[in-house]
Amino acid sequence: MVKTIEWKDNKVVMLDQSKLPNEVAYITCTDHHRVAEGIKRLEIRGAPAIGIAAAMGIALGAQGIKAENFEEFTEGLQPIFDAMISTRPTAVNIHWAVERIKRYLFQNKEETVDHLKKLLIMEANKVLEDDISINRAIGQWGAAFIRDGDTILTHCNAGSLATGGYGTATAAMLVAQEQGKRIHVIADETRPVLQGARLTAWELMQAGIPVTLITDNTAGALMKKGMIDLAIVGTDRTTRNGDVANKIGTYTVGVLCREHGIPFYVAAPLSSIDFKMSSGDLIPIEERDADEVTTIGGRRIAPEGVHVINLAFDVTPAKYVTAFFTEKGVFRPGDLKKLMREDIDLESIRLKNI
Ligand code: MRU
């Protein structure tokens, strides 16, 4: 499995996903500005991966802060936090990473500035390690919902590349494959940036999972022919009522699944659930450059000057979601908010299998 991102020799090294699958190239970031730039340009993308990048970017930026005490150090960190948060608005994982780092700092406020700098590197690495084990857990729970012989539709890339490793939606597929289930994945190409064609198809082929690539508008026809058994997608931000922001076109998949009686699952680490936000209507939706729509591979396909709407994400209302695959188990949308409670008996709300 290729590494999406790592901390190496006091630098942040990330796989340049904008060049895949034609070129496997790495970007070495020597300052946090380059990390932020990489997130904006989709050189690193996918909600958990950009959360990890933010944590590492903060650790990197922290090394250059000149401060005598904790207060000066945290003052120096503020613009670095802001730089990370301002990169992409929809994925809550960036906010989650910043909050986690802030909490960690305050727990260690008695330490010297030099030691705090080292601790931030350790914590950023821990964010990465935790993500990998969270994804394994999502996979273990989610695989129970995949049967031998199933054909699974997925949209965008919620794979290894979108995370520290294993992916969220793909974790369930990888575990199902390890369990000996024969599965087949249908990957939506995911216009305009083609994460499905460029990234999901690439990584599933590497993992030895049979994959078929389709254009986004083919999914409905395949469902009608009975060729899709279930859909599994990722999320950039799910609100506590179970509304799901994910790559543009996910809403269409959710509605199509409902029409055809196909289960629609969302793989969601708790770091992608915004328990503070009550509904999907409140999620800020990133709008990206028109060039992503008017060109393909740098070649113009639409008339110069045409008006474009390029929403990077949409929101699928909770009513279309069959269940969420999380690291704590599989839950119905209505039960998601219960995960906020410390006293909840998870076993009483967990779904077991299909
Ligand atoms: O614009 P992107 O490529 O960052 O969008 C990614 C997605 O929509 C993923 O499905 C989501 O981040 C979940 S990744 C586990």
Side-chain angles (χ1 to χ4, degrees):
M1 196 178 357
V2 287
K3 282 196 174 124
T4 313
I5 183 163
E6 68 176 319
W7 181 275
K8 204 173 169 189
D9 303 330
N10 270 336
K11 298 180 188 85
V12 176
V13 180
M14 36 196 213
L15 177 61
D16 185 351
Q17 300 191 30
S18 67
K19 294 206 165 68
L20 286 174
N22 298 323
E23 203 183 317
V24 179
Y26 291 87
I27 298 163
T28 301
C29 307
T30 52
D31 61 45
H32 73 275
H33 299 290
R34 185 64 189 89
V35 176
E37 198 57 38
I39 298 173
K40 275 190 208 155
R41 290 194 203 152
L42 308 187
E43 289 162 341
I44 185 158
R45 32 68 48 206
I50 61 181
I52 299 163
M56 290 198 175
I58 293 165
L60 189 58
Q63 305 309 307
I65 296 176
K66 297 203 179 358
E68 297 291 329
N69 54 42
F70 183 77
E71 283 66 34
E72 282 177 29
F73 186 55
T74 49
E75 249 170 59
L77 278 169
Q78 194 53 52
I80 305 174
F81 294 148
D82 295 343
M84 294 302 148
I85 285 172
S86 67
T87 52
R88 299 191 74 191
T90 305
V92 73
N93 298 61
I94 297 183
H95 297 267
W96 171 90
V98 168
E99 290 310 313
R100 173 168 166 166
I101 299 284
K102 280 186 184 169
R103 264 197 320 275
Y104 183 74
L105 274 172
F106 278 95
Q107 282 158 7
N108 291 285
K109 62 190 297 194
E110 306 307 335
E111 301 293 340
T112 63
V113 169
D114 276 350
H115 191 54
L116 284 172
K117 289 182 182 177
K118 291 198 185 89
L119 288 179
L120 284 186
I121 298 174
M122 283 164 57
E123 185 64 1
N125 275 309
K126 183 84 176 34
V127 171
L128 169 64
E129 276 165 39
D130 288 354
D131 184 67
I132 297 173
S133 38
I134 285 166
N135 295 338
R136 285 295 299 173
I138 291 175
Q140 296 290 346
W141 292 111
F145 292 75
I146 299 175
R147 292 162 305 193
D148 186 26
D150 271 350
T151 297
I152 307 161
L153 177 73
T154 192
H155 190 73
C156 191
N157 174 265
S160 198
L161 293 164
T163 64
Y166 292 108
T168 59
T170 55
M173 301 170 196
L174 291 167
V175 174
Q177 186 199 38
E178 281 166 23
Q179 293 170 342
K181 294 173 187 166
R182 284 153 302 175
I183 57 166
H184 175 199
V185 178
I186 306 252
D188 278 344
E189 64 170 350
T190 319
R191 270 285 283 157
V193 185
L194 301 171
Q195 289 92 334
R198 294 187 306 104
L199 309 177
T200 303
W202 183 76
E203 65 167 81
L204 290 179
M205 285 173 80
Q206 291 209 335
I209 295 183
V211 54
T212 300
L213 179 65
I214 59 170
T215 59
D216 300 324
N217 39 22
T218 302
L222 297 194
M223 288 184 192
K224 193 149 178 276
K225 285 176 191 282
M227 288 170 67
I228 292 170
D229 299 299
L230 68 156
I232 313 177
V233 300
T235 179
D236 283 81
R237 185 188 306 231
T238 286
T239 49
R240 66 169 181 263
N241 67 340
D243 291 346
V244 175
N246 192 49
K247 179 55 54 197
I248 192 77
T250 302
Y251 172 47
T252 318
V253 173
V255 174
L256 280 170
C257 281
R258 170 57 51 87
E259 171 66 20
H260 295 91
I262 294 168
F264 176 78
Y265 298 111
V266 177
L270 298 192
S271 58
S272 298
I273 303 178
D274 189 346
F275 290 106
K276 289 196 208 117
M277 204 172 260
S278 56
S279 128
D281 300 336
L282 303 168
I283 300 175
I285 299 293
E286 177 181 3
E287 288 201 45
R288 294 188 59 88
D289 212 276
D291 286 356
E292 288 183 350
V293 178
T294 57
T295 62
I296 292 185
R299 191 164 157 262
R300 178 161 274 279
I301 54 153
E304 205 68 64
V306 67
H307 179 244
V308 169
I309 296 176
N310 185 15
L311 301 176
F313 301 98
D314 59 24
V315 176
T316 305
K319 67 175 184 180
Y320 294 107
V321 180
T322 308
F324 288 92
F325 297 171
T326 79
E327 65 268 39
K328 301 253 182 235
V330 176
F331 304 101
R332 295 251 181 238
D335 285 331
L336 217 50
K337 57 180 173 302
K338 297 184 186 156
L339 300 181
M340 285 157 56
R341 290 185 2 212
E342 307 237 311
D343 61 337
I344 189 80
D345 170 19
L346 289 176
E347 203 46 30
S348 67
I349 54 169
R350 257 188 207 125
L351 295 180
K352 297 290 175 309
N353 51 41
I354 23 181

